[in-house]
Amino acid sequence: MRAAIKEYNYDWLMGSTLSAAAKFPAGTAKEIAWAYRYIPYFKGIVKNFVDAGPPGIYFMDLLAGYYQNILDAHAQGKKIAATTFCSSPVIFYAMDIVPLTFEVLTAIGAMVWKRGMFDYMDYCCEVGMPETACSSQRGALGAYLADMGENIDIVLCDTPGVCDTNANAFVFAAEYLDKPFFQLNYPSTLGDSRSQAYHVKDFQAMIRFLEEQTGKKIDYDRLAENLKEVEAQDAITADLEDMLMMVPTPIPPIYTLMIYAGRFCFAGHPGYTRLLELLRDEAQKRMAAGVPALKAGAENLRVLMCYIDHYTVDINFYNYLEERGIANAGSILTRNFRDYNPYCQALEGSCYGVDLSSPEAMLDTVAQMNARLPMVRSIRGPYDQHGMWLDECLALARLYSVDCIIYNGTPGCRNTWGMVKPFARDIEKQGIPVHIMNDDAFDDRVESWEATRERLDEFFTVRGLL
Ligand code: SF4
């Protein structure tokens, strides 16, 4: 780790950058234009979110708030829990615990910093993690292993599905930092009562563990409030899903990132409801005015990202889609799998409902909700079983009328790389072209953005799509 990088508290550095960026639009148009001249390093990312209008500006503020929560936690007597993105924070907010999700923080760093998360990623390897470990944890985790961030109090490996690299990263973090650790298992099947009952018991054990660690009991009234907020969020998300189905869609590519990043950080929190309202209102305005969502001025193509997006600096990937007139129907991270969404009809057993009638029912709801997060829901086992990766992608591709499917992941992702070729062949057999990206979603050193862009152009041209 370079000495210069070690000079800064990581959480403060990132949080301050985002909160300063969110203040930009407070100026006049002239002031904003002049201010950009003073931030050449960050101009790309700030301008992209400012240009995305009220939701983009609010999103920067919301993420800055995520870091602020981490920075303020100990002064407010709260514990910080390292947790995966495949765990809804709703339960932590009900227990006054501050969640810290490595994967989301790594993606933010990769999009904001031109130098990427490289130093932090490499630090993980310097202290013993394998280079083949998923870069999504290896980024932000490096800062905490190097003692450059706030002190993590608890490590929770919660429902990472079958992901060995994710589970190992959390075990490594707990061992290295010498912190209490809890492993929440994932349900082997979805929608059957035996596996669900086991999963709820596992949740109860996790809550006991957290109560011991924090010295505080879970507040079920608060959990009920948070779940009511989830109800409101799910309803707005369903509206956005409907608008994503329209051809052309009034939803710009970057909205899908905001939908899932907001959910991973703030599900059940009013801040996320506000973000969704802004996204919906802007899309509705665009729809009413007949203004296209894409900067290209026309929708030439629709893609489904069958795994994750590309988090390169300055959100280049989303801009690429905008410029080529490619609508983004979202990725496996975008959908919440709430039971009233149209895609649930084609994917029986894959969706969840909300029940607030008792503490047990609420825990069951949270367990069901977590089991519908991407790594558990769709890459839990064989790709071609009912409701799994292939089934889900085909159902979504049909419903959202996409022209092609694109895979993007990380080289460390054995779960998806181990099955992506037969998966792609099976989709091609259905007449849908598939492109497998070779980069690392979080690490531009694996393949430069320029090379990634060239391969995307080649795919669209050779397959006669653009
Ligand atoms: S991207 Fe793949 S390796 Fe990384 S956490 Fe997700 S499933 Fe695991």
Side-chain angles (χ1 to χ4, degrees):
M1 178 81 74
R2 284 184 286 147
I5 297 209
K6 281 194 163 176
E7 285 298 311
Y8 297 95
N9 174 299
Y10 169 77
D11 301 305
W12 173 85
L13 186 68
M14 295 304 301
S16 309
T17 305
L18 287 164
S19 96
K23 291 191 184 94
F24 246 70
T28 63
K30 196 172 168 191
E31 283 168 340
I32 295 170
W34 273 88
Y36 281 138
R37 297 169 59 158
Y38 293 96
I39 54 160
Y41 191 94
F42 295 109
K43 184 182 164 191
I45 184 75
V46 175
K47 192 164 184 327
N48 278 314
F49 280 108
V50 170
D51 289 351
I57 297 158
Y58 185 76
F59 182 64
M60 290 193 287
D61 210 25
L62 198 65
L63 292 183
Y66 193 76
Y67 288 100
Q68 199 57 51
N69 287 346
I70 295 169
L71 288 163
D72 292 343
H74 292 140
Q76 294 173 351
K78 296 176 184 173
K79 300 273 186 195
I80 298 174
T83 157
T84 74
F85 73 101
C86 270
S87 179
S88 170
V90 74
I91 198 108
F92 307 124
Y93 290 129
M95 298 189 78
D96 237 357
I97 292 170
V98 175
L100 182 156
T101 307
F102 296 136
E103 297 89 355
V104 177
L105 299 189
T106 301
I108 297 172
M111 292 187 287
V112 169
W113 290 104
K114 279 201 176 27
R115 65 173 191 228
M117 295 296 283
F118 311 150
D119 290 87
Y120 307 112
M121 283 178 190
D122 292 351
Y123 188 76
C124 289
C125 300
E126 278 173 39
V127 297
M129 279 180 77
E131 231 177 338
T132 51
C134 178
S135 48
S136 70
Q137 291 91 41
R138 249 190 323 121
L141 174 56
Y144 300 100
L145 296 183
D147 197 19
M148 292 164 54
E150 291 305 298
N151 194 5
I152 290 170
D153 301 296
I154 308 161
V155 179
L156 292 170
C157 187
D158 29 18
T159 49
V162 291
C163 183
D164 61 325
T165 151
N166 190 305
N168 284 328
F170 279 79
V171 172
F172 187 93
E175 280 292 314
Y176 191 86
L177 299 171
D178 193 19
K179 298 295 172 191
F181 175 76
F182 188 88
Q183 167 79 56
L184 189 74
N185 289 328
Y186 71 97
S188 54
T189 51
L190 295 187
D192 78 283
S193 49
R194 186 164 169 255
S195 137
Q196 181 59 20
Y198 170 83
H199 199 35
V200 171
K201 279 202 184 124
D202 216 15
F203 258 88
Q204 286 165 340
M206 184 185 82
I207 288 168
R208 281 197 298 278
F209 167 80
L210 291 174
E211 286 176 340
E212 273 166 27
Q213 296 302 323
T214 58
K216 292 181 201 162
K217 290 275 175 207
I218 184 169
D219 180 344
Y220 281 103
D221 291 336
R222 200 158 161 202
L223 182 60
E225 286 308 311
N226 293 354
L227 286 173
K228 276 185 205 153
E229 203 68 38
V230 168
E231 288 269 45
Q233 293 164 357
D234 286 353
I236 305 173
T237 307
D239 287 345
L240 289 163
E241 291 285 359
D242 286 348
M243 287 190 268
L244 259 179
M245 267 185 267
M246 297 172 67
V247 184
T249 176
I251 309 271
I254 191 66
Y255 276 27
T256 61
L257 168 79
M258 293 196 242
I259 293 171
Y260 63 74
R263 185 185 312 126
F264 294 154
C265 295
F266 287 110
H269 189 284
Y272 179 48
T273 316
R274 181 72 195 128
L275 173 69
L276 290 169
E277 285 168 351
L278 289 169
L279 292 170
R280 180 200 54 199
D281 295 350
E282 289 299 304
Q284 280 175 343
K285 270 190 231 160
R286 218 173 283 121
M287 204 166 64
V291 177
L294 295 157
K295 284 182 192 146
E299 184 177 310
N300 302 321
L301 197 70
R302 296 171 75 80
V303 302
L304 174 74
M305 299 301 292
C306 64
Y307 197 45
I308 56 177
D309 292 337
H310 191 290
Y311 308 102
T312 191
V313 70
D314 293 346
I315 57 167
N316 279 327
F317 174 67
Y318 302 94
N319 287 332
Y320 170 88
L321 297 178
E322 289 261 11
E323 285 157 13
R324 302 280 189 287
I326 304 173
N328 177 8
S331 65
I332 69 163
L333 310 178
T334 313
R335 324 238 111 75
N336 59 5
F337 277 75
R338 183 62 203 268
D339 46 12
Y340 45 61
N341 283 301
Y343 48 80
C344 294
Q345 286 155 20
L347 296 162
E348 200 194 334
S350 294
C351 297
Y352 78 95
V354 171
D355 183 351
L356 307 178
S357 57
S358 65
E360 294 71 30
M362 286 192 277
L363 275 192
D364 194 62
T365 296
V366 177
Q368 297 266 9
M369 197 159 69
N370 265 27
R372 270 67 184 185
L373 285 163
M375 288 194 295
V376 192
R377 182 192 76 234
S378 36
I379 53 168
R380 190 181 62 252
Y383 75 92
D384 53 358
Q385 277 190 356
H386 170 67
M388 299 287 288
W389 206 21
L390 179 64
D391 226 11
E392 176 179 319
C393 286
L394 286 174
L396 295 175
R398 288 181 191 123
L399 198 67
Y400 290 84
S401 317
V402 304
D403 302 288
C404 60
I405 291 182
I406 296 179
Y407 166 84
N408 192 43
T410 76
C413 190
R414 293 173 270 282
N415 298 312
T416 51
W417 275 108
M419 54 190 170
V420 74
K421 287 217 169 146
F423 164 83
R425 270 198 298 271
D426 286 347
I427 292 177
E428 289 267 0
K429 278 184 206 154
Q430 303 290 321
I432 305 170
V434 182
H435 176 58
I436 298 174
M437 290 166 75
N438 280 343
D439 57 87
D440 184 318
F442 306 90
D443 187 350
D444 277 357
R445 295 171 300 180
V446 172
E447 182 182 77
S448 69
W449 164 245
E450 287 71 24
T452 301
R453 187 182 57 199
E454 209 169 287
R455 286 194 72 240
L456 282 165
D457 277 339
E458 186 183 49
F459 165 71
F460 291 128
T461 309
V462 171
R463 302 302 295 266
L465 293 162
L466 273 184

